[in-house]
Amino acid sequence: MAASFVAFPSLSMVRKEDFADTSLIPEAYGRHVVSRCLPPERSPVHCSFSAEPAGDGIRLRFSSRVDNLGEPAMLTHKFFFVDRDETRERFHAVTPDEPEVTTEMLILFAGFDRDYCHASVYDAENRLVAVHAVVFDRAGRTVPYPFTQRYVSPLGLGRADLEETVDGTGRRMLRFSVGLTGLTEPTPVVLAWQGIGRIVREELSCTPDRPEAHYEVPLDDNPLLACGDWVVIAVDEQDRFLAQTLVTLQSAE
């Protein structure tokens, strides 16, 4: 029997408008933190990174500090190396007296001199509390990845949400809905689920009469899903950003 899953949101929906006044990924995503474990400030976690050459690679250090922590907490540092299709995780305990922790990693280069990764911090319930995109090279130089307007879709965005529904047979579905505004002709939109080792993309069309597109993923009896972190994202036909959220899947058994 194929596995069934329970879906938990890791943050609220990030929209294209979040990049209207910033090109910084941490700032845009920090507006959508839904952690119940850390202080309620918008961005209670502050991060920094550095690197230095080490043999055929670099030693990358990523630190996070929690402000106004009232009691001990658990944090996870997660690193997604996009072009390598690789993830690494480190678990840390933080306390009011020691609110800052550091992950150090050796990253090797093979045939290239530059790379990048997403460096994220999650709380004990696997909810995102901070995320950075870090670009680094062989010399140990590091810079934030600038998410400029060329990566953001010019299309008008209306509805963007993720909800659990039930189909006609009673099977639970996770439904991703996106609507476009100001349409004068049929316009493609791509809705995608992305996990390590698997990407599901569905190209749909929004029209002036039917401006919303929907994509449903079965949570019951679905052999194509796996426990872990999933990115749910909408982009236009040129892969420019419209909306995105993160979901954690756990076994329903």
Side-chain angles (χ1 to χ4, degrees):
M1 180 178 177
S4 294
F5 301 90
V6 178
F8 300 94
S10 297
L11 80 166
S12 62
M13 187 71 66
V14 182
R15 297 171 57 93
K16 56 167 287 187
E17 293 87 0
D18 288 303
F19 290 100
D21 59 353
T22 183
S23 63
L24 298 177
I25 290 174
E27 184 174 331
Y29 280 68
R31 299 166 180 168
H32 296 275
V33 170
V34 293
S35 173
R36 301 179 297 184
C37 301
L38 297 183
E41 290 85 355
R42 173 176 288 179
S43 299
V45 179
H46 301 275
C47 303
S48 61
F49 44 85
S50 63
E52 62 184 24
D56 292 330
I58 63 168
R59 197 176 305 278
L60 181 67
R61 297 181 183 89
F62 178 76
S63 300
S64 64
R65 186 187 79 252
V66 183
D67 289 341
N68 304 317
L69 190 63
E71 60 184 4
M74 291 296 299
L75 296 179
T76 305
H77 288 179
K78 298 187 182 185
F79 304 89
F80 178 25
F81 295 86
V82 180
D83 294 336
R84 303 179 187 217
D85 201 17
E86 174 187 349
T87 61
R88 303 187 195 184
E89 294 186 7
R90 299 289 187 275
F91 301 95
H92 297 281
V94 291
T95 67
D97 293 332
E98 296 184 352
E100 184 168 337
V101 290
T102 298
T103 295
E104 185 175 287
M105 300 178 294
L106 180 63
I107 302 171
L108 300 179
F109 289 89
F112 49 89
D113 297 317
R114 190 168 178 261
D115 203 352
Y116 79 102
C117 71
H118 294 289
S120 305
V121 183
Y122 285 76
D123 68 12
E125 296 181 333
N126 207 51
R127 295 173 185 260
L128 186 78
V129 291
V131 60
H132 289 253
V134 184
V135 182
F136 48 84
D137 64 13
R138 281 181 179 270
R141 291 175 295 224
T142 62
V143 294
Y145 191 103
F147 202 83
T148 60
Q149 285 299 307
R150 66 176 175 153
Y151 300 118
V152 179
S153 176
L155 298 175
L157 178 64
R159 178 183 182 184
D161 56 52
L162 187 69
E163 59 182 347
E164 184 174 320
T165 63
V166 178
D167 68 8
T169 66
R171 187 167 62 162
R172 294 178 306 117
M173 313 288 286
L174 203 58
R175 191 183 210 206
F176 185 31
S177 302
V178 169
L180 301 181
T181 62
L183 297 180
T184 58
E185 61 183 1
T187 302
V189 62
V190 177
L191 306 187
W193 274 65
Q194 302 176 356
I196 292 300
R198 179 166 173 76
I199 298 177
V200 180
R201 289 170 58 94
E202 186 78 10
E203 182 171 318
L204 303 168
S205 180
C206 295
T207 67
D209 293 335
R210 306 188 70 174
E212 294 187 357
H214 311 277
Y215 184 63
E216 295 182 343
V217 173
L219 292 173
D220 293 326
D221 302 329
N222 189 344
L224 301 180
L225 289 183
C227 293
D229 300 321
W230 290 80
V231 176
V232 184
I233 187 169
V235 297
D236 65 19
E237 61 179 339
Q238 297 184 35
D239 281 339
R240 293 171 298 188
F241 183 88
L242 284 166
Q244 178 182 316
T245 190
L246 302 177
V247 175
T248 301
L249 293 185
Q250 296 180 2
S251 174
E253 301 176 356

